[in-house]
Amino acid sequence: MIRLFQEHYARRTESLDGLWTIALPDGRTFPMIVPGVWETVPELASYEGKAVYARSVMIDRDSCIMLRFGGVSHTAAVFWDGKPVGSHYNAFTGFDVIIDQVSASRHELRIEVDNSFSENSTLHIPNDYFTYGGINRSAELHYLKGAMISSQTFYAAENEDGTFDAHIRADIRALNDTGSLRYCVELAGAGKTAELGSMKKGDTKQIDITLEKLKVLAWDVHSGQLYPLTGTLRKDGEIIDDLADRVGFRTVEINGESILLNHKRVKILGFNRHEDHGQLGMSMDAGAMVCDLQLMLDMGANAVRTCHYPNDPKFLDLCDELGILVWEEHHARALPGEILRKELFAKQISDCNEEMIRQHVNHPCIYIWGVLNECESETEFGHALYKKNLDQLRALDPTRPVSFASCRIFNDVCLDLVDVVSFNIYPAWYINEPVADFLARLLSWMEENGAKGKPVLITEIGAGAIAGYHDAFRRAKWSEERQADILDEQLQAVLGNERVSGVYIWQFADVKVSEEWAMRRPRTMNNKGVVDEYRRPKLAYFTVKSRFAQEKYHQTRIISHPYLT
Ligand code: ADA
């Protein structure tokens, strides 16, 4: 399943997860698990290129079907019985392919997958994380009837008396000429109906429904109160489609230099987390994701930054349930100027913005959207580019603040564009300057350069250590001891500074990087994790745990299971 919960009860869906076959251009074939990455096959550990995934699909009645992919890394061309039916670029957002008039018989489904770097790829480039190959997230087969609920977007507005009004926008799509349709939505004990009338094949309609004065428990840090939101579509009284989601009621506000969650100032105690694991690559199942979150909670964290791309919906579902705040950002890490100036980049990043927000907007755990990590924010061209991307995010979701993580310290010209100012800094690691001194210089400079009166986040800070390498004298960089000491100094300075609204440690776990980075990255890994790639804690784990535990924002964890309310 693509989500952690069942999205359809009336619509018939089937999982396409399981063993497929892949064929390489040289004729080799392998059984291949979906979701998964081919690098877990020893013979393909360093294979970069094309592979054709294939399986048969039995359709037991003449149907209109939809193929739904959570993610394919990084380019997919979809073929049904040999005919091209869809394509998608970017491993980190999902996509659908609708196929009409499918006969009741056995069919062939093929996906040509390509993870190579080329002129056709502006987001996946050789980088300080790895681009795996495969159908990296779950896939599903949906049977559609005459019309479907394409999406339901939820937004909650709090009333003076503490109740909430829920605004639901449903997009309906007719797959055939339909008779009179009726849409119903239910949430938190309330419900409403909207008459749609008849629709012609290909028609779309948008319905806005408000459920007023709902008495609900707020979603909060370490208390993920969720409510099922259920939409149904009826024709002549029969349910022909449905869509279930889970939503949370909370408020996120920027109030001067503070970030408020439910009117309380929140302090971010977070980690940067890549989707990567020593054994599973980027295709971590929910169990492995929970293990990561349990380690972060054990260290006292309340937040995760999805560096540097939209995350697996299952991971976001878990953050919803566990009450963990998420900074989600589109797919961009330190892209060079020549890429940023390509027309293809403008298209690929705009598609990613649209898909990220349309697919993830209902997750209460996401409190902020980010763009263009460490890109060209020191030039006029960069200012226009950041403005274009931030404006697109705001247009798609006016309810959340926006930001970007800057490394153009003392040169950035884009801080005026954001609601929250954020910096990636590495004093005592890359820069041999006492952390408190560097931080003081940064905070002073930024006040005169667009940050005045805005919250500040340190979106990256940390140091490297090769797991198992020890220096009894605590001097050698890359020793666990030195990493722990640097992180201790960094966290003391950052968490002790009232002007800073929080921190995301770089990073949670060691991750694989592109071969092109090998000379700058021992083990061809980014070794700044507080755990290694197999989640074995380094000494720094306990340093973080001690520092986070001293924060008054370190709440007693009340993990209340959803639906108890
Ligand atoms: C940057 C970048 C991260 C990582 C980090 C590092 O801040 O945003 O992706 O590369 O540096 O490890 O140096």
Side-chain angles (χ1 to χ4, degrees):
M1 279 165 68
I2 288 173
R3 299 298 293 273
L4 210 55
F5 58 93
Q6 189 167 335
E7 292 182 278
H8 302 282
Y9 295 85
R11 183 190 299 181
R12 181 181 168 198
T13 64
E14 290 169 16
S15 173
L16 293 173
D17 293 352
L19 274 181
W20 295 42
T21 302
I22 64 167
L24 303 188
D26 63 11
R28 284 180 294 165
T29 61
F30 298 86
M32 184 57 57
I33 191 67
V34 169
V37 292
W38 60 60
E39 287 84 357
T40 56
V41 176
E43 212 176 307
L44 301 180
S46 55
Y47 176 69
E48 183 185 312
K50 289 184 170 36
V52 179
Y53 277 70
R55 62 162 286 168
S56 70
V57 178
M58 186 65 199
I59 302 293
D60 61 5
R61 70 193 72 167
D62 291 353
S63 306
C64 174
I65 64 167
M66 176 169 75
L67 303 171
R68 170 158 287 176
F69 298 93
V72 178
S73 185
H74 60 58
T75 297
V78 184
F79 297 83
W80 184 260
D81 293 338
K83 282 198 307 250
V85 292
S87 63
H88 185 265
Y89 170 75
N90 191 7
F92 302 112
T93 46
F95 66 102
D96 298 334
V97 177
I98 292 180
I99 308 169
D100 201 355
Q101 295 169 345
V102 173
S103 63
S105 70
R106 187 168 291 283
H107 296 267
E108 190 215 31
L109 172 56
R110 271 191 306 115
I111 323 282
E112 288 184 7
V113 180
D114 184 358
N115 78 331
S116 60
F117 298 131
S118 76
E119 285 301 301
N120 302 321
S121 174
T122 65
L123 308 183
H124 289 276
I125 66 171
N127 220 324
D128 199 13
Y129 61 98
F130 194 77
T131 287
Y132 289 92
I135 300 180
N136 52 292
R137 295 178 184 162
S138 285
E140 297 172 349
L141 165 67
H142 292 215
Y143 287 82
L144 302 175
K145 294 184 175 173
M148 69 185 287
I149 304 171
S150 307
S151 69
Q152 286 171 152
T153 303
F154 163 85
Y155 158 57
E158 189 180 34
N159 298 311
E160 290 289 312
D161 61 2
T163 62
F164 281 84
D165 291 350
H167 302 283
I168 296 111
R169 169 164 289 178
D171 287 306
I172 310 298
R173 177 174 172 177
L175 302 151
N176 281 317
D177 294 354
T178 71
S180 177
L181 296 175
R182 172 180 296 168
Y183 171 75
C184 308
V185 66
E186 291 173 281
L187 170 61
K192 271 190 185 170
T193 296
E195 299 298 337
L196 285 154
S198 58
M199 293 175 71
K200 290 278 182 218
K201 181 172 183 173
D203 278 359
T204 56
K205 279 194 181 175
Q206 202 163 70
I207 308 149
D208 287 311
I209 287 180
T210 297
L211 303 175
E212 291 167 338
K213 292 208 168 288
L214 303 177
K215 288 191 176 57
V216 289
L217 287 175
W219 186 93
D220 211 315
V221 169
H222 297 159
S223 178
Q225 294 293 347
L226 296 174
Y227 290 82
L229 184 157
T230 309
T232 52
L233 195 58
R234 283 175 166 78
K235 190 179 85 171
D236 308 330
E238 180 213 353
I239 295 181
I240 61 168
D241 199 34
D242 68 341
L243 176 56
D245 202 343
R246 305 178 325 179
V247 295
F249 294 85
R250 53 125 180 83
T251 61
V252 174
E253 297 157 279
I254 303 299
N255 181 344
E257 297 177 355
S258 296
I259 300 170
L260 305 183
L261 179 71
N262 299 328
H263 313 298
K264 298 189 303 284
R265 182 169 185 255
V266 71
K267 190 162 198 178
I268 298 297
L269 306 173
F271 284 96
N272 284 279
R273 175 184 177 271
H274 268 295
E275 290 183 339
D276 193 3
H277 187 279
Q279 188 168 19
L280 306 167
M282 68 190 297
S283 292
M284 294 172 68
D285 61 15
M289 293 174 188
V290 169
C291 289
D292 283 3
L293 290 166
Q294 283 169 332
L295 289 170
M296 291 185 216
L297 286 169
D298 180 63
M299 284 185 267
N302 62 14
V304 177
R305 176 177 175 231
T306 69
C307 58
H308 300 286
Y309 37 73
N311 263 206
D312 190 314
K314 283 196 192 84
F315 182 74
L316 299 174
D317 286 336
L318 287 166
C319 290
D320 287 339
E321 286 202 34
L322 292 170
I324 292 175
L325 290 165
V326 172
W327 160 312
E328 181 157 81
E329 59 187 37
H330 71 194
H331 183 194
R333 181 210 169 274
L335 299 174
E338 63 270 18
I339 282 195
L340 298 177
R341 287 162 174 77
K342 286 185 169 185
E343 260 185 56
L344 180 61
F345 166 74
K347 164 96 176 64
Q348 292 182 335
I349 200 66
S350 172
D351 289 349
C352 181
N353 289 339
E354 178 98 16
E355 290 165 354
M356 173 176 77
I357 292 192
R358 292 228 182 281
Q359 294 167 22
H360 297 169
V361 68
N362 287 349
H363 287 282
C365 65
I366 298 173
Y367 74 101
I368 192 166
W369 300 111
V371 298
L372 298 171
N373 174 74
E374 297 199 351
C375 293
E376 190 181 316
S377 59
E378 78 280 16
T379 68
E380 218 172 291
F381 165 82
H383 192 275
L385 181 69
Y386 273 89
K387 183 174 185 319
K388 182 179 173 187
N389 276 271
L390 292 164
D391 287 351
Q392 185 185 1
L393 295 194
R394 287 192 169 109
L396 287 163
D397 175 14
T399 70
R400 289 178 174 90
V402 293
S403 184
F404 70 90
S406 168
C407 68
R408 291 346 193 232
I409 315 293
F410 309 125
N411 299 316
D412 206 298
V413 297
C414 296
L415 305 184
D416 61 309
L417 296 171
V418 295
D419 300 306
V420 174
V421 169
S422 306
F423 295 103
N424 298 342
I425 60 174
Y426 288 90
W429 177 254
Y430 288 130
I431 307 162
N432 277 333
E433 176 177 354
V435 179
D437 296 354
F438 180 85
L439 187 62
R441 285 198 303 124
L442 168 62
L443 296 179
S444 160
W445 166 81
M446 68 170 204
E447 295 296 352
E448 309 312 319
N449 288 276
K452 199 170 194 59
K454 295 179 182 177
V456 181
L457 286 173
I458 299 300
T459 26
E460 291 182 26
I461 194 165
I466 307 292
Y469 168 49
H470 293 284
D471 172 7
F473 300 104
R474 311 184 75 87
R475 284 305 305 151
K477 282 188 174 176
W478 297 114
S479 68
E480 288 194 33
E481 290 76 9
R482 187 70 188 279
Q483 181 194 36
D485 293 350
I486 291 173
L487 255 172
D488 196 45
E489 182 193 352
Q490 291 170 335
L491 291 176
Q492 182 181 23
V494 169
L495 296 175
N497 192 307
E498 267 309 298
R499 180 70 178 87
V500 178
S501 289
V503 66
Y504 291 92
I505 292 169
W506 187 274
Q507 65 175 318
F508 170 66
D510 293 349
V511 299
K512 192 174 165 144
V513 302
S514 301
E515 174 91 347
E516 292 80 352
W517 278 67
M519 292 305 107
R520 291 177 272 179
R521 293 286 184 264
R523 307 193 302 143
T524 317
M525 300 280 291
N526 183 304
N527 297 284
K528 298 189 182 72
V530 299
V531 300
D532 74 5
E533 62 273 28
Y534 297 102
R535 276 56 183 170
R536 294 174 297 200
K538 304 176 189 174
L539 290 177
Y541 179 103
F542 303 97
T543 304
V544 172
K545 182 169 181 174
S546 160
R547 283 288 169 193
F548 277 1
Q550 295 166 38
E551 290 306 309
K552 60 176 180 298
Y553 294 86
H554 177 71
Q555 299 181 8
T556 312
R557 285 187 297 110
I558 318 141
I559 304 295
S560 56
H561 194 279
Y563 315 137
L564 286 185
T565 40

